[in-house]
Amino acid sequence: MTFDIVTIFPAMIEAPLAGGIIGRGIERGTLDVAVRDLRAFTTDRHRVVDDMPYGGGPGMVLKPEPIFRALDAIEAERGTPLTVILTSPQGKPFTQADAQRLSGVAHLVLLCGRYEGFDDRVRERVTEEVSIGDYILTGGELPALVILDAVARFVPGVVGDEQSVIDESFSRGLLDFPQYTRPAEVDDLRVPDVLLSGDHAAIRRWRKKEALTRTLERRPDLLAGATLDDEEREILRELQNGRIAGLQDG
Ligand code: J9Q
């Protein structure tokens, strides 16, 4: 799979891609990432990429022509039509389902904007506008890396166990249960006894309870879309009753 990333800060993209699982995918040739410096597509002496907003106001807006030229160059090189992803706080929330779907596209272009935004005419060339969350960043470089990482995991050969990547994305929709490894005790902190008991039914039930407890406390919004088995529904009922009783106990 091929990614073209258009940015005014190429080093912000290049450095993180040098290492890790994505870096290995690039070394192996399973992934191809081309970082495109937006300034290379300017035509003026000072390589200006932004300008003041029409109508006034603070900040600068990215000029449309360098972006159009960059997209024209990528299109000429890769062939048409391009799938262009723009990351911005105005985008639809990017989800795991989006990551899986986009991994089916052979070639993606990721446009990194600045905080103040693009000239809106750039949106004529944008296939999808996505947000990675409700917080303000200085630019779209980190969101582009997040999207690349989440999409590239689905490309066969990038992550060791392909099937587990697929299975994860269809998993029950709950937060994970707590995990432990050796030693059984460190700094007076013990691994829960049930995990050392060898009682596999008890371990399964404990993990379900922990996953449901975490989800109920931290991400109750996930419960509406989760697929629960009979045992999980029973545990959830107990937790919800216990929680109301717990209020009286303090
Ligand atoms: C470009 N805050 O924030 C959340 N998803 C994307 C963004 C973003 C930002 C600023 C510039 C993207």
Side-chain angles (χ1 to χ4, degrees):
M1 180 165 181
T2 303
F3 295 84
D4 283 291
I5 307 187
V6 181
T7 174
I8 58 170
F9 295 123
M12 267 186 88
I13 304 291
E14 278 158 9
L17 293 182
I21 292 176
I22 302 303
R24 197 182 56 196
I26 294 168
E27 278 171 13
R28 287 179 173 165
T30 313
L31 300 173
D32 172 18
V33 182
V35 183
R36 314 274 184 168
D37 185 349
L38 186 62
R39 285 190 203 282
F41 301 95
T42 57
T43 54
D44 62 307
R45 246 169 56 80
H46 294 103
R47 309 212 298 165
V48 174
V49 292
D50 56 8
D51 203 344
M52 296 176 342
Y54 273 120
M60 300 288 270
V61 173
L62 286 177
K63 291 165 62 61
E65 309 99 301
I67 293 167
F68 287 149
R69 271 189 225 104
L71 293 175
D72 289 343
I74 294 166
E75 203 161 81
E77 213 175 291
R78 308 286 193 193
T80 59
L82 295 179
T83 301
V84 179
I85 308 295
L86 171 64
T87 69
S88 93
Q90 284 75 47
K92 285 194 201 165
F94 179 73
T95 65
Q96 183 65 6
D98 293 321
Q100 185 164 21
R101 173 175 56 80
L102 291 171
S103 72
V105 178
H107 172 223
L108 282 185
V109 179
L110 296 168
L111 276 184
C112 308
R114 302 316 304 157
Y115 165 58
E116 294 83 0
F118 287 90
D119 183 300
D120 212 73
R121 289 167 290 187
V122 165
R123 291 190 166 84
E124 294 292 323
R125 304 279 295 264
V126 168
T127 314
E128 291 182 41
E129 184 167 349
V130 299
S131 165
I132 63 158
D134 295 336
Y135 30 75
I136 300 172
L137 302 168
T138 56
E141 282 74 17
L142 295 173
L145 286 167
V146 166
I147 290 165
L148 167 63
D149 193 282
V151 171
R153 288 182 70 255
F154 282 106
V155 175
V158 170
V159 174
D161 189 345
E162 232 168 279
Q163 196 51 49
S164 74
V165 173
I166 305 290
D167 290 347
E168 264 171 13
S169 68
F170 287 110
S171 67
R172 308 147 302 153
L174 297 179
L175 298 183
D176 279 344
F177 50 76
Q179 298 273 25
Y180 299 87
T181 188
R182 291 183 291 182
E185 183 171 341
V186 63
D187 291 349
D188 279 345
L189 299 170
R190 286 197 41 80
V191 173
D193 283 333
V194 63
L195 297 178
L196 310 178
S197 70
D199 181 343
H200 298 295
I203 290 169
R204 202 160 36 242
R205 188 177 166 88
W206 181 85
R207 285 178 164 170
K208 285 177 177 177
K209 185 177 173 188
E210 291 296 318
L212 284 162
T213 301
R214 280 184 170 182
T215 307
L216 201 55
E217 284 183 355
R218 303 178 191 177
R219 293 294 306 278
D221 58 299
L222 294 181
L223 288 169
T227 21
L228 304 183
D229 62 25
D230 290 347
E231 190 175 35
E232 285 165 334
R233 276 200 301 275
E234 181 199 308
I235 296 168
L236 180 59
R237 233 179 354 256
E238 283 171 17
L239 289 171
Q240 284 168 329
N241 292 338
R243 166 169 292 238
I244 293 160
L247 283 178
Q248 291 155 341
D249 301 348

